[in-house]
Amino acid sequence: MASSSIYQIFLLFSCFFFLSNILEVQSFDDELLPSSIVFPIIKDVSTLQYITTIHHGSPLAPIKLVVDLGGPLIWVDCASGLVSLSRRVIPNQSIQCSRTGTGAARDVGGKACDVFPENGNIGLASRGELVEDTIALRSADGSKLDPLITTVDQFLFSCAPASLLQGLASGVKGMLGLGRGPISLPSQLATAVGHHRRFFMCLSSSNGLIFSHSNRPKDSIFGTETTKSLMYTPLGGSSQDYFINVKSIKIGSNQLLLGDKGMTKLSTNVPYTTMESSIYATFTEAYKSAAGSRNMTAVEPVVPFGLCFSSKGIDESLVPVIDLVLQSEMVKWRIHGANSMVRVNQEVMCLGFLDGGSELTSSIVLGGAQLEENLLEFDLGTSMLGFRSLRPTSCSIFAADFMLQESL
């Protein structure tokens, strides 16, 4: 009886010792994880696309990708670059293939896991193979801005045909998908480096960045005061894309109620906000009225814009403010003149909102020009969007310390 009790006590202490060692190792490993992963972004002046560079393969080689906010995965034209010694095709009957949610075997006896990468800029999709390879991630300490390199093996992406590169900027070899799917960049970062399924994006007309960081407050490169001041609104929809529900649009004293047409997609694939025709007509009339009260003179529109003004004596800071009213009057996405107006020449500036026609898939698509100079937090775990304007400062200031060179 006594020996049995002693044995039980021995087992209890053994288990306690074993678990303690596990917890110590786990804590140690957490400290080794990179606090922040940073992807610097450059805006291409000819296409208005946002471009980042990743280093992948063996040996590591740089490759330029267009940022696709709603893209389900990373896809690359594998045939046009260096052959990677570490690249491996994923079979269709595998855990990795099942993670995609869309992976399938080839129609004619193939065993590769086929996915369907898409060029969201032109709406073209194609079949591609799911592969895995090594990727190098730029990491940084959130307080010291001391860049480090973390290498992650078995990172999933798709090899796509060269035809999918149509319409993309010169030198680009694919797209970086940031969507809500299981093999998008943020989802894979969460698995690879232990971050939450969450990322921040800050675009500008020059340099910007995408980054994810751990849950430690000190790890935000923008500083805790900035990130704590974000406003939040729920992310809607069930697709890969990010939607917010805009209840109404306010321009001065005019308010446009959207009703069931308020689901608004955030997109890096379109340079300017696009609206369904009936919404656009009402919106531009309200804006024109508010602009008239500020002595702004309408002039002949310049393609592709539908409403333009003389810029003589008018500064962007003096134009009407546009408020996207979200879940309540207290939660508004404010669009100032620097985000709403586009200077097309020395004498004319145009409202950076376009008529998308009557068959637009989403009633409103919030485009790149309106996303710029806003710190955006996409939390895939809680389905929430955090946002705040960084003006009068710029995202390019924060991005400057992280601009990648062509080699590591």
Side-chain angles (χ1 to χ4, degrees), residues 321-393:
V321 169
I322 302 168
D323 282 329
L324 306 182
V325 182
L326 302 173
Q327 63 263 39
S328 74
E329 289 286 336
M330 299 295 293
V331 185
K332 302 173 184 176
W333 183 317
R334 176 156 289 186
I335 301 174
H336 293 279
N339 284 91
S340 64
M341 303 302 294
V342 180
R343 287 190 177 269
V344 295
N345 56 50
Q346 293 183 345
E347 298 182 347
V348 178
M349 59 183 182
C350 298
L351 185 63
F353 291 71
L354 306 180
D355 186 345
S358 58
E359 297 182 0
L360 192 65
T361 305
S362 302
S363 299
I364 303 174
V365 180
L366 204 61
Q370 285 68 51
L371 299 179
E372 290 177 358
E373 309 304 358
N374 285 282
L375 176 59
L376 303 175
E377 177 190 1
F378 297 86
D379 194 322
L380 284 66
T382 62
S383 293
M384 296 292 290
L385 172 73
F387 62 95
R388 65 154 287 177
S389 174
L390 289 182
R391 294 189 187 276
T393 187

Side-chain angles (χ1 to χ4, degrees), residues 78-90:
C78 298
S80 64
L82 297 174
V83 176
S84 172
L85 300 177
S86 55
R87 184 186 305 154
R88 185 179 78 89
V89 176
I90 301 300

Side-chain angles (χ1 to χ4, degrees), residues 10 40 45 64 95 116 123 132 157 206 209 243 289 346 388:
F10 174 76
V45 294
K64 293 181 179 180
I95 295 176
F116 300 92
E132 67 178 17
F157 63 97
S206 55
L209 54 85
F243 288 85
S289 173
Q346 293 183 345
R388 65 154 287 177

